[in-house]
Structures are given as structure tokens and as C-alpha cells.
Amino acid sequence: YNARKVYFRRVYALGKLTARSPHPDLPCIAQRVMQRGNERLPCLFREVEYRRHLSNLHEAALSHDCAIHAHVLVTNHVHLLVTPQASGKVSRMMQALGRRYMSYVNSSYRRAGTLREDRYKACLIDSAAYVSACHRPGPSIYHPTLRPPQNLR
């Protein structure tokens, strides 16, 4: 009964059939974006994949007008600090990044299927303290870079 109630609430919002609730995606506001590997399995395997993922991220960010302030690549998930220039740009950037990287890995390893969970998770960042709290160096971090977002300077 409880599962039916939750499903009903999720599918029928305000009496309308909705697929999902949209991500908070405001222009010129920094966002923390996180995407995990499917079933928390690795999606970055070797140094080559890390470099390819960063290259694809750079291209996707340029083509979708997003500024990448920081990135953390771990074997089974990715954290990004992103500021879009217009609404909807982060989701388009993540979709392009996922499509390009997934096709590369699937062709390289002769596999099929998805590498990542359905959607990325995002939250808006409203303070410089939160940015510094997100930046914790550790052994699993590949290559973090930081340039503070415009709205936090």
C-alpha cells in the first residue's frame, strides 16, 4: 500500500501525468552536479578514460555555454561545479557528455548498455562556504581545479 501511494504521488503531480520533477536549473547560478555509475559500478577504468571524460566534458561545456569551476572524477562517480549561462544548459551538457562518453566506452570494450544511473543529481549553490565544503582533497580525487563562480566572488 505504501509503495502504491508513493508511486501515485510521483506519477500524478497536481492531477497531471508527469515524468519527473525538473532539476533546479537557473542561469548564472552555480550548481553542484553528481552522477554515479550504474549500480555504483565503475564507469572510469583507466587513465585513458579519465582523460577522455575530461576532454568530452570540456567540449560539452563549451558547446552548451556552461562554465566548469571544479571537477572530481572518481572511479564510480563524478562531481562537477557548474554555472550555466541559460536555463536548461546543464541538462543538455550532461546528456551530450553521457552520450559521447558512453559510446566511446561501449565501442572500446565491446559492450552494450548504460554506464550511469538514470539522471544526474544537482543542487544550487548559494554560498562560498558551501563551495569550500564541497572541496575536500582525498586519495580518490583525480584532478580538481577551482575557479570560484561569478556569483560567489
Side-chain angles (χ1 to χ4, degrees):
Y1 174 73
N2 221 4
R4 262 180 68 200
K5 199 168 160 184
V6 169
Y7 175 77
F8 182 78
R9 208 174 314 132
R10 199 169 114 214
V11 173
Y12 295 97
L14 301 174
K16 297 180 181 178
L17 186 62
T18 60
R20 299 176 182 161
S21 58
H23 284 107
D25 194 5
L26 300 173
C28 301
I29 302 292
Q31 298 180 29
R32 178 178 176 233
V33 175
M34 196 268 290
Q35 190 166 34
R36 289 195 182 280
N38 196 17
E39 297 179 1
R40 298 186 184 220
L41 293 173
C43 51
L44 298 163
F45 309 102
R46 301 176 301 171
E47 182 81 19
V48 175
E49 279 87 23
Y50 283 92
R51 292 185 189 282
R52 174 62 77 123
H53 195 279
L54 288 174
S55 171
N56 291 345
L57 175 62
H58 178 71
E59 291 172 15
L62 285 177
S63 64
H64 294 286
D65 296 327
C66 291
I68 306 293
H69 307 291
H71 61 271
V72 178
L73 304 181
V74 185
T75 56
N76 68 346
H77 64 282
V78 175
H79 292 272
L80 303 171
L81 182 58
V82 182
T83 302
Q85 296 305 310
S87 183
K89 295 291 188 173
V90 173
S91 61
R92 289 189 199 108
M93 178 192 75
M94 293 302 290
Q95 187 178 37
L97 175 64
R99 237 187 266 124
R100 180 173 285 174
Y101 181 71
M102 190 171 63
S103 67
Y104 164 74
V105 170
N106 284 346
S107 65
S108 296
Y109 290 99
R110 299 184 197 280
R111 62 180 300 280
T114 185
L115 285 171
R116 305 263 167 83
E117 287 180 347
D118 290 344
R119 297 175 81 189
Y120 66 90
K121 293 170 179 58
C123 64
L124 300 177
I125 295 177
D126 59 352
S127 70
Y130 186 71
V131 172
S132 62
C134 290
H135 253 63
R136 296 174 305 210
S140 59
I141 293 175
Y142 173 67
H143 189 297
T145 59
L146 178 61
R147 192 178 78 228
Q150 292 286 350
N151 61 329
L152 300 179
R153 288 186 185 161

